[in-house]
Amino acid sequence: MKIYRGGNVFVAHQLLILGNGFDLHCGLKSSYNDFFRKTIIDTAGEKFGLIKKQPNVNGFWEGLLLEYYRAYGNSNEDWCAIENIILQTLISVCINIDQNYPLSIWSMAASQIHQDNIDKIINTPIKKYLFNYCRYYYNRLINEPESVKFNLFLAHLLQELHNFEKRFCKYLKDNIINPQNKKINEGYVLNAANLIAALTGSTGANHRTMDDIFHNNNALFHSFRDLLSTHVLNFNYTALSDIVTTQDICYHINVHGKLCNEQCGENCTKSSIILGIDDKIIQSRDEYAPLRIFSKTYRKMMLEESPLGILPRAYEDLLKIKFYGHSLSEADYSYFQSIFDYYNLYGNNNVSLIFYYSEGYDQTDAIYRLVNSYGRTLTNRDQGKNLIHKLLLENRLIIKKID
Ligand SMILES: [Zn+2]
């Protein structure tokens, strides 16, 4: 895509940031609530008021989700914001139970504290679940030196999280390709292809049937050919090009890992899905340091590629940074901050932000919070304060509904 400006040729690059709303909007049942209902809770028993796990479902996080469901499942539709649950759990288990109580659940479970005191502080079913799990695991470590028990416990929770991620991988893959009849979820694939086309302004693509994609050798690749200057940072665990097995349509990376490529049966081994907490939170307090093994940035570093390695070059060209379907929650501020820094958002007139949304998902408040929060990180305080104003004035902050 070329834009002619005063006789000079500028190449317009775009960086498309896709949040979980993308897959959901395209009809993939990728929410944790759908995942929970399909793979963890026994929905047959629920009809009779029995809230329990499906037979053969074990695991620390699976059990914890069930407790959250019992506590909030009926009253709060956001009850299974999994990364928030991970964060709250790690803090109360490892750092302190709450603001009023300085001990962690682990240290309580590891001490000879009087039952009356336990009952006073461990006073909700979720806390009880965590306390009992800590005590059970502490007792299992009876032969280990006291000094290593806590770290072994943390490593165990991380291993449990890996198992949970694999369960999620299998669930998503079964939703994309039916494991029984091997049929592909056509509605999702078509919606995804067409939505990417709409977001990137690709004119050549309008896929009505799967034949448009499959029976025309590498059709998907060809119809998106003009998008070679598009870079996609995808916060979903899916990649369209993997599903329809074409070459990569454009520069594309799954920020928090992606589904394994093979059919994963009972033992998914290759999934690189990363659930965790934001690095910024860990750096916010010294005592959070032991939790860094749960940092998404830290875990991504363990994989071969850096998500920010695919950013289009800075400074030289026009760049549109487009957002779709991302909640813009604090959990991912680290990424956005790095991106805005990299392009010098404040001073670089070549860079604009475009926030796309679908009917009913207006997110003006979240955008305001994100940009303001970024503004506060600028060394020049005054610049930070007028960042939104400046971006609007220069037509570099656009909010747009997409059909
Ligand atoms: Zn897998």
Side-chain angles (χ1 to χ4, degrees), residues 27 46 52 91 118 151 156 170 184 189 309 332 382 399-400 402:
E46 198 188 11
K52 56 172 190 158
I91 290 177
I118 294 174
N151 282 337
H156 169 73
K170 177 163 171 21
I184 203 160
V189 172
D332 291 313
D382 292 334
I399 303 176
K400 231 182 199 171
I402 193 151

Side-chain angles (χ1 to χ4, degrees), residues 166 169-170 173 259-260 262-264 268-271:
K166 287 173 183 171
C169 178
K170 177 163 171 21
K173 291 191 68 164
L259 308 178
C260 57
E262 282 99 70
Q263 283 288 331
C264 61
C268 156
T269 48
K270 297 238 174 77
S271 146

Side-chain angles (χ1 to χ4, degrees), residues 211-222:
D211 283 355
D212 291 346
I213 291 178
F214 279 114
H215 292 180
N216 186 350
N217 190 21
N218 261 339
L220 194 62
F221 177 74
H222 282 289

Side-chain angles (χ1 to χ4, degrees), residues 61-105:
W61 299 100
E62 285 84 346
L64 182 63
L65 267 194
L66 189 76
E67 294 300 334
Y68 268 85
Y69 182 70
R70 284 183 173 137
Y72 306 110
N74 286 323
S75 55
N76 181 355
E77 61 179 271
D78 250 355
W79 71 271
C80 57
I82 185 72
E83 298 202 313
N84 201 21
I85 292 176
I86 293 172
L87 175 66
Q88 296 312 325
T89 301
L90 291 173
I91 290 177
S92 64
V93 165
C94 307
I95 312 293
N96 60 328
I97 296 178
D98 51 43
Q99 286 101 328
N100 308 318
Y101 200 75
L103 277 186
S104 69
I105 293 183

